[in-house]
Amino acid sequence: MTELKFAGLDGVIILVAYAVIMLAIGWFAGRSDKTVNHSLSNYYLAGRNLGIVALFFTLYATQYSGNTIVGYAPSAYRTGLTWLQSISFMTIIIGIYLLFAPRMYVLGKKYNFITPSDWLSHRFKSKRVTILAIFLMLWGLGNYLLEQLVAIGHAVTSLTGGTIPYQVAVVGFILVMLAYEWMGGMRAVAFTDVMQGVVLMVGVVIFLIGAIYLAGGKIGTITESIANVDPGLVGVPDLTTSINWFSMLLLVGFGAAIYPHAVQRIFASKSERTLKRSFARMAWMPPITTGLVLFIGLIGIVVIPGLDTAGSEQLVGLLANEIAGINGFFYWVMIIFFGAIVAAIISTADSVLLSFSSIVSNDLYGKYINPTAPEKKKLMVGKIAGVVVISLLLWIAWNPPGTLYEIFVLKFELLVQVFPAFVLGIYWKKMSSKPVFWGMLLGAVVAGLMTWTGHKTVMGIHGGVIGLALNFLVAVVGSILVPSAEEDDEEVAAPALTRMPTQN
């Protein structure tokens, strides 16, 4: 992100204020529940007691972050109206949630699931299925966390006008995040999500108003102005682009819906009714969030034309500089808004780190290394593992790979391979562990090889989607042709889905 010329010392003050608030929330969350550091359920799932406000905003923070602003607007700038796909793939995530979330909540409550792999262990009773799924989930979480670390450094440096260097910014706010997360666990994470979610929503709206003012205030002529700059940005996309759009829908829709930290929020809901009401409200968020960001990116084409790929990555900062110069109101709103972007990125990072730690402590250590360990010891193992992985990713973030969007895509290629086992396993009683394992493994190998050899797409289709198709084929056909193993005969029948409440 480009340096914000209006920031500097004022930005430092705002960031310090956000850091103090987050630490205070962590302290309060830990103090309000003194058992939080003694129970896996209390620490990782907030005691399964998140109400509708906290659950909605923590789900919102899971699906969106500061990177939605910083990363998606430049994508809209480069691709034009084609980036409408950002609204559709955020919408499809909600649809996929509704396929399994109500039923998964019932199962999670009945069997006290802590992590997604608890469900897979319960369903397939196969060590190799569980371990492979754990590896793929940790891969996705690791990539997602790396994305947030890179963004934190750029956002803080930009907001403070370079007063706080990139490396100092990353380390400083990671220490803040570790502190409040250690004190309050999921409860602290959810409460910080409420704070940053409200400020981010309001800030996006005001940012858009400022951008429209810069464009002359005539919304109806934006498309015409873009066409004058580059007609291709408002034209009908070609066949390859359209196929890539559909591929992205599948990759993100299936992948993001089974984010481990998203699934754990299903387990953390206070009730099934609370969960359903939260998802009903989440359905409105794609046009409100990614839709407004799309419009900001399109306005950027008119206000600051001619940026190359590297330059377009700085679009939000460049527009903010212009908006802050309108008057004193916009000046302070931009500072507070960019502080909220930093807080939002941190709130996403803390959710990912918490989920990563839970998988290490509950699944790897708790299931396979020391099953008899007390929960307090398992929690400590998870916390230490979080510090270790953060240290490793910080080393990588010193020289971040690719644009934020490229990092974003990378995490889905392998994570999405868990989808058939996780969701089909809920509905299909005869799904067998052996085909599930081989489908997941082959899908991951295909997706990984395509990504690592630089062949990320074939005719616009992502390697992760090609791997997923192979995964589905092997898992489904194999389960039909091969009789279920004895280990699958003990599976529990899932309760029936209830209907979503009608919204008036």
Short mmCIF file of all heavy atoms in Angstrom, two decimals, residues 23-34 36 180 183-189 191:
data_model
loop_
_atom_site.label_atom_id
_atom_site.label_comp_id
_atom_site.label_asym_id
_atom_site.label_seq_id
_atom_site.Cartn_x
_atom_site.Cartn_y
_atom_site.Cartn_z
N LEU A 23 -6.22 -5.11 23.55
CA LEU A 23 -5.64 -5.70 24.76
C LEU A 23 -6.65 -5.66 25.91
O LEU A 23 -6.75 -6.63 26.69
CB LEU A 23 -4.36 -4.97 25.15
CG LEU A 23 -3.14 -5.21 24.23
CD1 LEU A 23 -2.01 -4.25 24.60
CD2 LEU A 23 -2.67 -6.66 24.33
N ALA A 24 -7.38 -4.57 26.02
CA ALA A 24 -8.39 -4.45 27.08
C ALA A 24 -9.50 -5.48 26.89
O ALA A 24 -9.98 -6.09 27.85
CB ALA A 24 -8.98 -3.04 27.09
N ILE A 25 -9.89 -5.70 25.63
CA ILE A 25 -10.92 -6.71 25.34
C ILE A 25 -10.42 -8.10 25.73
O ILE A 25 -11.16 -8.90 26.32
CB ILE A 25 -11.30 -6.67 23.84
CG1 ILE A 25 -12.11 -5.41 23.54
CG2 ILE A 25 -12.11 -7.91 23.45
CD1 ILE A 25 -12.40 -5.20 22.07
N GLY A 26 -9.16 -8.40 25.40
CA GLY A 26 -8.60 -9.70 25.78
C GLY A 26 -8.56 -9.88 27.28
O GLY A 26 -8.90 -10.96 27.80
N TRP A 27 -8.16 -8.83 28.00
CA TRP A 27 -8.12 -8.90 29.46
C TRP A 27 -9.52 -9.12 30.03
O TRP A 27 -9.73 -9.96 30.91
CB TRP A 27 -7.53 -7.62 30.02
CG TRP A 27 -7.50 -7.59 31.52
CD1 TRP A 27 -6.56 -8.13 32.35
CD2 TRP A 27 -8.47 -6.96 32.37
NE1 TRP A 27 -6.89 -7.89 33.66
CE2 TRP A 27 -8.06 -7.17 33.71
CE3 TRP A 27 -9.64 -6.24 32.12
CZ2 TRP A 27 -8.78 -6.69 34.79
CZ3 TRP A 27 -10.37 -5.76 33.21
CH2 TRP A 27 -9.93 -5.98 34.52
N PHE A 28 -10.49 -8.37 29.52
CA PHE A 28 -11.87 -8.49 30.00
C PHE A 28 -12.43 -9.88 29.71
O PHE A 28 -13.11 -10.48 30.55
CB PHE A 28 -12.75 -7.42 29.34
CG PHE A 28 -14.21 -7.55 29.66
CD1 PHE A 28 -14.71 -7.10 30.88
CD2 PHE A 28 -15.08 -8.13 28.75
CE1 PHE A 28 -16.07 -7.22 31.18
CE2 PHE A 28 -16.43 -8.25 29.05
CZ PHE A 28 -16.93 -7.80 30.27
N ALA A 29 -12.17 -10.40 28.49
CA ALA A 29 -12.69 -11.72 28.13
C ALA A 29 -12.11 -12.81 29.03
O ALA A 29 -12.82 -13.73 29.45
CB ALA A 29 -12.36 -12.02 26.66
N GLY A 30 -10.81 -12.70 29.34
CA GLY A 30 -10.20 -13.68 30.23
C GLY A 30 -10.71 -13.56 31.66
O GLY A 30 -10.92 -14.56 32.34
N ARG A 31 -10.93 -12.33 32.10
CA ARG A 31 -11.39 -12.11 33.47
C ARG A 31 -12.84 -12.55 33.66
O ARG A 31 -13.22 -13.02 34.73
CB ARG A 31 -11.24 -10.63 33.82
CG ARG A 31 -11.58 -10.29 35.26
CD ARG A 31 -11.33 -8.81 35.53
NE ARG A 31 -11.74 -8.42 36.87
CZ ARG A 31 -11.00 -8.59 37.96
NH1 ARG A 31 -9.80 -9.14 37.86
NH2 ARG A 31 -11.44 -8.20 39.15
N SER A 32 -13.66 -12.38 32.62
CA SER A 32 -15.09 -12.73 32.73
C SER A 32 -15.31 -14.23 32.78
O SER A 32 -16.36 -14.68 33.22
CB SER A 32 -15.86 -12.13 31.54
OG SER A 32 -15.43 -12.70 30.32
N ASP A 33 -14.34 -15.01 32.32
CA ASP A 33 -14.44 -16.48 32.39
C ASP A 33 -13.09 -17.03 32.82
O ASP A 33 -12.19 -17.22 32.01
CB ASP A 33 -14.86 -17.06 31.04
CG ASP A 33 -15.05 -18.57 31.08
OD1 ASP A 33 -14.90 -19.15 32.18
OD2 ASP A 33 -15.33 -19.16 30.02
N LYS A 34 -12.95 -17.29 34.11
CA LYS A 34 -11.67 -17.71 34.64
C LYS A 34 -11.30 -19.14 34.26
O LYS A 34 -10.19 -19.59 34.52
CB LYS A 34 -11.66 -17.54 36.17
CG LYS A 34 -11.77 -16.08 36.59
CD LYS A 34 -11.69 -15.92 38.10
CE LYS A 34 -11.79 -14.44 38.48
NZ LYS A 34 -11.72 -14.23 39.95
N VAL A 36 -11.35 -20.07 31.12
CA VAL A 36 -11.05 -20.03 29.69
C VAL A 36 -9.74 -20.72 29.35
O VAL A 36 -9.62 -21.35 28.28
CB VAL A 36 -11.04 -18.56 29.18
CG1 VAL A 36 -9.87 -17.79 29.77
CG2 VAL A 36 -10.99 -18.51 27.66
N TYR A 180 -3.69 -10.67 23.56
CA TYR A 180 -5.12 -10.72 23.88
C TYR A 180 -5.73 -12.08 23.57
O TYR A 180 -6.68 -12.51 24.22
CB TYR A 180 -5.89 -9.57 23.23
CG TYR A 180 -6.12 -9.62 21.75
CD1 TYR A 180 -7.02 -10.50 21.17
CD2 TYR A 180 -5.45 -8.72 20.90
CE1 TYR A 180 -7.25 -10.51 19.80
CE2 TYR A 180 -5.68 -8.72 19.54
CZ TYR A 180 -6.58 -9.62 18.99
OH TYR A 180 -6.81 -9.62 17.63
N MET A 183 -5.01 -14.35 26.51
CA MET A 183 -5.83 -14.02 27.69
C MET A 183 -7.27 -14.47 27.54
O MET A 183 -7.87 -14.96 28.51
CB MET A 183 -5.79 -12.51 27.93
CG MET A 183 -4.47 -11.99 28.46
SD MET A 183 -4.54 -10.24 28.95
CE MET A 183 -4.56 -9.43 27.34
N GLY A 184 -7.86 -14.30 26.34
CA GLY A 184 -9.30 -14.50 26.22
C GLY A 184 -9.78 -15.52 25.22
O GLY A 184 -10.98 -15.81 25.16
N GLY A 185 -8.88 -16.08 24.40
CA GLY A 185 -9.29 -17.10 23.43
C GLY A 185 -10.33 -16.60 22.45
O GLY A 185 -10.33 -15.43 22.04
N MET A 186 -11.26 -17.49 22.08
CA MET A 186 -12.29 -17.16 21.10
C MET A 186 -13.16 -15.99 21.54
O MET A 186 -13.58 -15.16 20.72
CB MET A 186 -13.17 -18.38 20.83
CG MET A 186 -14.43 -18.11 20.03
SD MET A 186 -14.13 -17.71 18.30
CE MET A 186 -14.07 -19.36 17.60
N ARG A 187 -13.42 -15.88 22.83
CA ARG A 187 -14.26 -14.80 23.32
C ARG A 187 -13.61 -13.44 23.01
O ARG A 187 -14.27 -12.51 22.55
CB ARG A 187 -14.47 -14.94 24.83
CG ARG A 187 -15.66 -14.16 25.37
CD ARG A 187 -15.77 -14.36 26.87
NE ARG A 187 -15.80 -15.76 27.23
CZ ARG A 187 -16.90 -16.50 27.24
NH1 ARG A 187 -18.05 -15.96 26.92
NH2 ARG A 187 -16.84 -17.77 27.56
N ALA A 188 -12.31 -13.32 23.23
CA ALA A 188 -11.60 -12.08 22.92
C ALA A 188 -11.60 -11.82 21.42
O ALA A 188 -11.78 -10.67 20.97
CB ALA A 188 -10.16 -12.16 23.45
N VAL A 189 -11.40 -12.87 20.63
CA VAL A 189 -11.41 -12.74 19.18
C VAL A 189 -12.75 -12.23 18.68
O VAL A 189 -12.84 -11.32 17.86
CB VAL A 189 -11.05 -14.09 18.52
CG1 VAL A 189 -11.31 -14.05 17.02
CG2 VAL A 189 -9.60 -14.46 18.80
N PHE A 191 -15.11 -10.56 20.33
CA PHE A 191 -15.41 -9.19 20.75
C PHE A 191 -14.62 -8.16 19.95
O PHE A 191 -15.13 -7.08 19.64
CB PHE A 191 -15.13 -9.02 22.25
CG PHE A 191 -16.10 -9.75 23.13
CD1 PHE A 191 -15.84 -9.93 24.49
CD2 PHE A 191 -17.27 -10.28 22.63
CE1 PHE A 191 -16.73 -10.60 25.31
CE2 PHE A 191 -18.17 -10.96 23.44
CZ PHE A 191 -17.90 -11.12 24.78
#
